[in-house]
Amino acid sequence: MSMLLVCMLFLGGVDAFLPNRLYDGDIGHGTLTHEDITRIGIVKAVASFFDDNPRNGSTPLRPGHFARTPELTARILFPMYYGVGASEKRLVQVIADISSANNRVDQDHYGKAVWHFHGELIHEAHSKMISIRELILGMLKRDNPNLDAVKELIGQFLHMLQMFYSNTNWVEMKGGVPYFQLGIKDKPIYIQALSSMDTCKTCGQNAYDGCENTLLVKSNILTSGYRSGEDITKPSRDPLAYTGKCSHGGPRDNSATTTAALGGINKDSTEPSLSPHHHLHLQAAQAAIHHTIHFFNDKVDGIRGHISKHGYENLLQLKSGNSLAFVIDTTGSMADDIEAVKNAVINITASTVGTVDEPANYIVVLFNDPAQLTETHQFEDGQKTISFLKSITVHGGGDCPEYSMDGLLKALEICLPSSKIFVATDASPKDAEMQSTVASLALQKKITVDFFLTGRCTRRRRDAEVPLYKRAVPDGGSIYDMIAGASGGSVHTTTKAGIGKVAQIIQESVSPLLVTLMKVYMPSSQTTSTIYVDDTITEVTVKIMSRGGSEPQQTITAPGAAVTTNVTVDYLGGGIKLVKLQKPTPGEWTLTRSDSYEWDVEVTAESSFDIFTTFVKTDPSSGFQYEIQGRPIAGDDVTIVATGSSMDSIQSLSEVLYLADDGSELARHPGLTRVPGSADSAVFKLRITLPTTPFKVAVWGRDKSGHQLIRLQPSQIVPVAIDLKMLPAEGVVYLNEKMKIPFMVTNKGGSQSVINVTIKDDQNFAQTPFSLVFTLNSGESKTGEFIIMAGPTEGITTTITLTATTGDAGDFQYGVKRVSTGTKIPQLKDTDKDKPECHITSLVGTCDENMLEPCTCHQDTWSASAEIWDEGTGLFQITSSMDETGSFEVGTFVEGQTGVNGSVQTSIRGSCCTSLVHIIVVDVAGNTGECQIDLAPGLHRPVYDCVPSEQQDAERDFTGVIVGCCVGGVALFFAVATAVVMKICHKAPVKKV
């Protein structure tokens, strides 16, 4: 064993399957992480759903056609089912959201053993899974459930489900067979090892190899490893004792080297230095994958068995489109514009119905004054949406500033992630104080917000009509600019006559295949701009917005030749022109201006290849990297992760660019490296330092033909000097009860700062105070908490947003958490607290000191019988700790049998090699009873195997070599010498204890 491993023992760790592939060390060839297991399981579940629900008019296929497709990915599956051009991005985003929630359990509940099936808290973990599952099902049965909250809970449930297979001895007992009773209400699970039972013996010559046969528990008894740093401590045992409770194991678990039994049983990876039971990793992973599929697809216990087909499609976003959301001002000041707005929105909706671009749902929010009059409507059917839009009328409102932030927030709360929201109003926001909350939720859900402002309505008058596109915006425009800029949207000021043209702009942005190539400002001194077209692009749209308000004069030329075909030009008026390139030739295109006005240019395209970027930081406790929550910290060293659709479209990704808001280059970072994974995985990463000013991210690479490829992330990233962490809290608040929302705020700036932290939630659960003020020196942190109180209705989800500001509303930090109301899930143990009864009725035989000798103990035998019954919920399981050297026989009984129907007779036989045996009984409520049979009370029992004398001599010689080589290497000497001594110690006499 290397000294490096000894030194690593003092670091933290992860708790089971590794969370992701963002790790600087070797995680082992073929290792499957939580992300891998979740992705594979969900894609296979979706494939089975597609098999069971063929599309109307599709060609009949053999049963299991999609599910049996080899090397299946979302990218392969969606075109197979929906046809060429269908986008899998929505499902990919759902998988990413659930995987992120799965990984956050490691961060939020790192020290809580129950979340990881550690410390023999197996029945407690089973109960927690039941509570989470019941909450998920309860929420899904409601009309318009909060799917963001549901996905967070699913991630937590899957984390625990997958942990079970890595951290317990299930796979050692049953192989790769899933345990489908786990986490199901009213279904008891197997017996758990008693606290008095030794469950493991020390592994091999050190704690990291030779652990294949470390487990002492046999038959149907569950146990799990203890891990250092958690709230359940491994029972102390001298490391020379050789037997004791199992450890999790691996180089980051101190208990694996300090308390017997040494070693561990985790199956996290295929890498021996990380996982003592590495040889069983793939069996554990396959069991976890099959159980993940079962959780989604089973017709009885799975989600599909509890919700409608449409509800299942919504949950996993199995339609290729996003939400299409409109937030419309219906106050009296909109009287002149409402018909034009309605017609525009109706035309947009009609253009999507029945197409591959059809949204997953339509959302219409009508905001008014007062805010209580705001209405929220969701539709799955486009024609029903159109009928509703036709019925909209204006009413109310007495002054011009209106509750636009309230309306936008309501749309954000129900909109699917990565969607677009379009806001139509003529007024500044009356509820401007909500701008940070609104922007926070838009950023957290990656939703783009576009504003279309029909004039300038102030408190006294409604100004004359203004041009279709203009940089200046009405009162409150700086708020709209901030939200649009942060989310990657735009602000347009238009007229009643121009609203119809606005519809064309919106229609260009609703395609699920839309990607952004560039957004730049062209000053009057710049006459050309280069547009990079790669061979995955089928259509390019160039939107030119002249700040002078007149029609832009432009020329677009293809690589090597002027464009003469497959080009359409549409001038929308107000200085806006759309130029479309159909099936453009890959290469460098040139946009040339021939007028003298300043331009803003946005270039989008339809492409099968897109890139998502996230910032991650290394968790010092585990060495793995997790996505940064909230805004990044200015000047921080982070890793940017660029994830592409698939490697089948590209050669590589090579560079990350920081761009200013006007599109100018701030910095260029070469050196993106691919993260090891599956053959089609296009995940790249790069360590970088964040700037201190706002920026956008673009990623450069090459397509398969070698053409330059670029993708721009249109949302603006604002680094801040405030860190705000929402500390761990449960995802459920019980009816009419209070719950704490704890947080920690840190001043990351260079000087003292006054930071105001506020809470806002959409169900008004928050209790006063709603704001807390902290004066913090540079680098100083303080904790605080808010209180929420649930109402009387079950299944209500509230979205809680904390914001931290220093005075500049645009320079804010945020945190978002969703909490749902629920009732405490009744457990059978609440009514049945009595343990089953077990009584020894006969015992023949004994074991003295000489009979315990490992090489001769099998010669002396014993037998016993016991009577068992239960007076509560009835018997569930009867087993014993007897190994294969003995026998245990149980009389016939049925699950739930009570003492009224008679007791159960058992008989057990063994030798002095097994002189301490437990008969363990579990009832249906999970209560455990036992009989202990001790044939050698007060004696220390060797549990190691008999070693032939010639092997003893060889081991003694080996020990001498080790001792001579290890002077000065105390830690290494201790580990090796201890293991060797224990291997030869069977010659030591049996001692009284």
Side-chain angles (χ1 to χ4, degrees):
M1 182 170 103
S2 71
M3 288 301 290
L4 174 61
L5 285 179
V6 176
C7 295
M8 288 176 67
L9 297 175
F10 298 97
L11 299 175
V14 293
D15 288 307
F17 288 120
L18 307 179
N20 53 52
R21 296 185 175 276
L22 302 177
Y23 183 66
D24 290 335
D26 182 10
I27 66 173
H29 178 71
T31 291
L32 295 175
T33 68
H34 274 300
E35 285 188 353
D36 297 324
I37 292 167
T38 302
R39 183 190 69 254
I40 295 169
I42 293 177
V43 170
K44 286 182 175 293
V46 171
S48 294
F49 177 80
F50 284 169
D51 280 325
D52 294 341
N53 296 275
R55 296 190 71 202
N56 292 334
S58 61
T59 303
L61 301 170
R62 61 184 175 87
H65 171 76
F66 296 113
R68 294 175 183 172
T69 302
E71 299 181 3
L72 188 64
T73 65
R75 183 172 175 80
I76 293 172
L77 178 60
F78 262 58
M80 287 175 63
Y81 183 73
Y82 287 108
V84 177
S87 172
E88 79 286 0
K89 287 197 292 187
R90 298 295 309 137
L91 175 60
V92 170
Q93 183 63 57
V94 168
I95 294 172
D97 290 343
I98 292 174
S99 295
S100 181
N102 185 326
N103 283 343
R104 276 198 300 275
V105 175
D106 273 330
Q107 295 175 284
D108 292 345
H109 305 288
Y110 173 75
K112 301 292 185 181
V114 69
W115 283 93
H116 314 288
F117 276 92
H118 276 157
E120 296 187 310
L121 296 182
I122 297 169
H123 285 269
E124 292 83 352
H126 172 60
S127 295
K128 180 172 281 293
M129 290 180 68
I130 290 172
S131 297
I132 295 173
R133 179 177 175 274
E134 291 299 306
L135 186 57
I136 290 169
L137 297 180
M139 293 170 63
L140 286 173
K141 289 174 183 176
R142 292 185 61 84
D143 293 335
N144 300 322
N146 187 314
L147 296 181
D148 296 314
V150 172
K151 287 182 290 185
E152 288 181 13
L153 292 169
I154 288 175
Q156 293 173 6
F157 186 90
L158 292 181
H159 182 91
M160 297 187 73
L161 178 155
Q162 294 162 7
M163 287 287 191
F164 174 78
Y165 296 101
S166 178
N167 288 351
T168 73
N169 63 324
W170 173 265
V171 172
E172 286 82 350
M173 288 196 306
K174 303 293 183 180
V177 178
Y179 191 21
F180 291 141
Q181 288 192 207
L182 191 67
I184 305 299
K185 185 180 177 182
D186 296 333
K187 289 190 177 181
I189 60 172
Y190 276 180
I191 285 172
Q192 180 175 299
L194 302 171
S195 59
S196 59
M197 291 175 59
D198 286 356
T199 52
C200 273
K201 58 185 179 181
T202 291
C203 306
Q205 292 182 355
N206 57 55
Y208 305 104
D209 60 15
C211 285
E212 289 85 354
N213 298 309
T214 186
L215 281 160
L216 295 176
V217 290
K218 307 294 181 181
S219 186
N220 294 326
I221 300 176
L222 287 170
T223 188
S224 65
Y226 290 76
R227 193 190 65 77
S228 56
E230 290 183 333
D231 56 349
I232 299 295
T233 303
K234 182 178 179 181
S236 180
R237 181 73 65 88
D238 187 329
L240 294 176
Y242 194 53
T243 67
K245 290 297 186 182
C246 303
S247 282
H248 177 76
R252 296 175 181 265
D253 177 16
N254 289 340
S255 78
T257 58
T258 59
T259 300
L262 307 185
I265 61 170
N266 89 67
K267 296 162 280 291
D268 297 355
S269 72
T270 62
E271 171 54 44
S273 67
L274 298 177
S275 302
H277 281 199
H278 58 90
H279 59 290
L280 297 175
H281 169 77
L282 292 181
Q283 286 189 58
Q286 288 304 317
I289 289 170
H290 288 309
H291 203 159
T292 299
I293 298 170
H294 181 87
F295 169 75
F296 285 101
N297 259 16
D298 188 71
K299 303 296 176 56
V300 176
D301 294 332
I303 287 177
R304 276 183 66 183
H306 293 266
I307 60 176
S308 66
K309 171 179 176 287
H310 180 69
Y312 191 81
E313 290 174 332
N314 268 356
L315 173 63
L316 295 180
Q317 293 309 290
L318 301 186
K319 294 183 178 179
S320 60
N322 306 315
S323 291
L324 181 56
F326 303 99
V327 179
I328 302 173
D329 183 349
T330 58
T331 58
S333 63
M334 286 287 289
D336 293 341
D337 299 332
I338 194 65
E339 289 302 319
V341 170
K342 286 165 54 177
N343 289 334
V345 173
I346 288 169
N347 289 337
I348 294 166
T349 303
S351 70
T352 66
V353 175
T355 71
V356 72
D357 296 337
E358 185 170 13
N361 61 359
Y362 301 86
I363 295 169
V364 181
V365 176
L366 309 178
F367 67 88
N368 209 288
D369 188 358
Q372 289 83 350
L373 296 177
T374 296
E375 302 174 11
T376 302
H377 303 270
Q378 289 189 65
F379 303 93
E380 310 299 337
D381 182 271
Q383 296 301 330
K384 291 182 180 178
T385 308
I386 292 171
S387 296
F388 173 76
L389 290 168
K390 290 178 179 179
S391 70
I392 295 174
T393 59
V394 298
H395 57 92
D399 53 4
C400 274
E402 307 295 358
Y403 289 96
S404 55
M405 294 294 99
D406 180 74
L408 179 52
L409 184 61
K410 284 181 167 56
L412 284 165
E413 285 160 354
I414 61 175
C415 212
L416 299 172
S418 302
S419 295
K420 280 213 168 194
I421 296 177
F422 302 95
V423 183
T425 183
D426 68 344
S428 56
K430 182 179 287 188
D431 45 0
E433 72 280 357
M434 294 174 60
Q435 59 179 301
S436 297
T437 301
V438 168
S440 298
L441 195 54
L443 289 169
Q444 197 260 346
K445 296 184 72 170
K446 299 180 176 65
I447 290 174
T448 303
V449 183
D450 284 293
F451 293 90
F452 294 91
L453 310 174
T454 59
R456 298 203 301 174
C457 178
T458 64
R459 290 186 183 273
R460 296 184 178 178
R461 61 185 175 83
R462 186 171 189 275
D463 286 1
E465 295 178 343
V466 291
L468 179 61
Y469 176 75
K470 190 176 180 181
R471 293 287 294 182
V473 292
D475 294 347
S478 60
I479 295 174
Y480 296 146
D481 277 340
M482 186 275 286
I483 294 171
S487 67
S490 302
V491 177
H492 295 277
T493 302
T494 184
T495 66
K496 178 170 64 175
I499 292 174
K501 296 294 186 180
V502 167
Q504 291 181 250
I505 298 175
I506 295 176
Q507 288 175 26
E508 295 298 326
S509 62
V510 297
S511 169
L513 294 174
L514 193 73
V515 300
T516 303
L517 305 185
M518 59 185 282
K519 290 181 79 169
V520 299
Y521 161 66
M522 289 180 64
S524 55
S525 59
Q526 179 183 347
T527 58
T528 63
S529 187
T530 302
I531 301 171
Y532 294 96
V533 177
D534 58 81
D535 56 16
T536 71
I537 290 173
T538 58
E539 180 180 288
V540 172
T541 299
V542 181
K543 181 167 66 174
I544 305 170
M545 296 160 283
S546 172
R547 295 189 179 184
S550 59
E551 181 178 354
Q553 303 298 313
Q554 85 294 324
T555 304
I556 297 182
T557 54
V563 175
T564 55
T565 60
N566 298 328
V567 177
T568 58
V569 179
D570 191 359
Y571 179 55
L572 305 184
I576 298 182
K577 179 178 282 187
L578 298 180
V579 181
K580 274 193 176 183
L581 312 175
Q582 300 286 345
K583 298 181 180 178
T585 303
E588 296 182 13
W589 291 64
T590 302
L591 170 65
T592 304
R593 181 189 33 226
S594 54
D595 61 38
S596 59
Y597 295 106
E598 299 175 348
W599 285 0
D600 292 288
V601 178
E602 179 177 352
V603 182
T604 58
E606 290 205 359
S607 169
S608 59
F609 182 80
D610 199 3
I611 295 172
F612 305 94
T613 59
T614 56
F615 294 103
V616 301
K617 285 201 72 173
T618 300
D619 179 1
S621 67
S622 68
F624 282 83
Q625 295 174 326
Y626 297 93
E627 184 176 354
I628 292 172
Q629 302 298 308
R631 284 176 155 174
I633 304 301
D636 241 3
D637 291 326
V638 301
T639 297
I640 187 170
V641 178
T643 303
S645 306
S646 173
M647 282 300 295
D648 63 9
S649 303
I650 63 170
Q651 286 184 11
S652 67
L653 303 178
S654 55
E655 294 180 282
V656 172
L657 277 66
Y658 291 160
L659 304 177
D661 189 48
D662 63 4
S664 60
E665 185 176 313
L666 297 174
R668 183 180 292 259
H669 299 278
L672 273 171
T673 58
R674 189 178 176 194
V675 177
S678 58
D680 71 330
S681 175
V683 182
F684 294 76
K685 66 177 183 177
L686 175 67
R687 289 188 180 275
I688 56 175
T689 299
L690 291 169
T692 58
T693 57
F695 66 100
K696 295 179 180 179
V697 171
V699 179
W700 286 64
R702 296 282 177 181
D703 65 20
K704 285 293 188 183
S705 302
H707 300 112
Q708 186 73 61
L709 177 149
I710 186 169
R711 295 293 185 270
L712 171 70
Q713 309 298 291
S715 59
Q716 186 182 58
I717 298 167
V718 181
V720 294
I722 307 170
D723 192 16
L724 179 64
K725 284 186 170 62
M726 298 187 76
L727 300 178
E730 295 294 331
V732 59
V733 55
Y734 296 116
L735 302 185
N736 300 311
E737 292 187 11
K738 292 182 179 180
M739 176 180 177
K740 295 178 180 179
I741 305 296
F743 65 89
M744 181 171 67
V745 60
T746 305
N747 177 11
K748 292 288 188 175
S751 60
Q752 187 183 81
S753 184
V754 178
I755 300 175
N756 184 31
V757 182
T758 60
I759 184 172
K760 171 72 177 176
D761 77 291
D762 60 313
Q763 297 296 327
N764 297 317
F765 285 180
Q767 306 292 294
T768 57
F770 305 123
S771 177
L772 296 172
V773 178
F774 301 86
T775 300
L776 301 177
N777 294 320
S778 176
E780 185 180 5
S781 299
K782 286 188 178 178
T783 58
E785 64 184 28
F786 293 106
I787 302 294
I788 64 171
M789 183 170 180
T793 305
E794 185 177 1
I796 301 295
T797 299
T798 188
T799 301
I800 301 167
T801 305
L802 300 190
T803 56
T805 61
T806 57
D808 181 357
D811 186 19
F812 66 89
Q813 184 58 280
Y814 71 93
V816 177
K817 182 176 182 62
R818 294 170 183 87
V819 176
S820 300
T821 60
T823 56
K824 295 178 181 178
I825 305 299
Q827 303 284 340
L828 289 173
K829 270 191 175 183
D830 296 336
T831 55
D832 177 9
K833 300 181 182 298
D834 296 327
K835 296 180 180 179
E837 297 290 337
C838 178
H839 294 277
I840 301 295
T841 55
S842 69
L843 176 60
V844 178
T846 186
C847 297
D848 61 24
E849 294 180 3
N850 295 327
M851 296 175 183
L852 298 178
E853 171 63 37
C855 289
T856 59
C857 59
H858 64 281
Q859 298 172 2
D860 297 285
T861 61
W862 55 267
S863 64
S865 59
E867 185 177 23
I868 294 168
W869 70 91
D870 183 65
E871 299 297 345
T873 50
L875 297 171
F876 171 64
Q877 184 187 4
I878 302 172
T879 190
S880 80
S881 60
M882 176 59 71
D883 63 17
E884 61 277 1
T885 64
S887 64
F888 179 59
E889 296 179 359
V890 180
T892 302
F893 75 98
V894 295
E895 183 178 323
Q897 178 175 318
T898 65
V900 174
N901 304 113
S903 59
V904 178
Q905 305 300 317
T906 65
S907 62
I908 189 166
R909 296 176 181 275
S911 70
C912 288
C913 297
T914 52
S915 60
L916 177 63
V917 177
H918 300 268
I919 297 175
I920 310 172
V921 189
V922 174
D923 65 16
V924 172
N927 299 304
T928 302
E930 69 161 319
C931 290
Q932 180 175 292
I933 304 173
D934 190 351
L935 280 299
L939 296 181
H940 175 74
R941 299 167 176 79
V943 296
Y944 39 84
D945 298 329
C946 174
V947 180
S949 58
E950 59 270 20
Q951 185 174 341
Q952 300 169 26
D953 296 336
E955 286 173 343
R956 272 195 209 92
D957 294 341
F958 177 72
T959 305
V961 174
I962 291 294
V963 171
C965 293
C966 288
V967 175
V970 178
L972 184 59
F973 165 77
F974 177 79
V976 176
T978 296
V980 175
V981 167
M982 287 186 288
K983 276 199 169 187
I984 65 172
C985 70
H986 69 282
K987 282 293 184 182
V990 179
K991 296 180 180 179
K992 293 280 187 181
V993 295

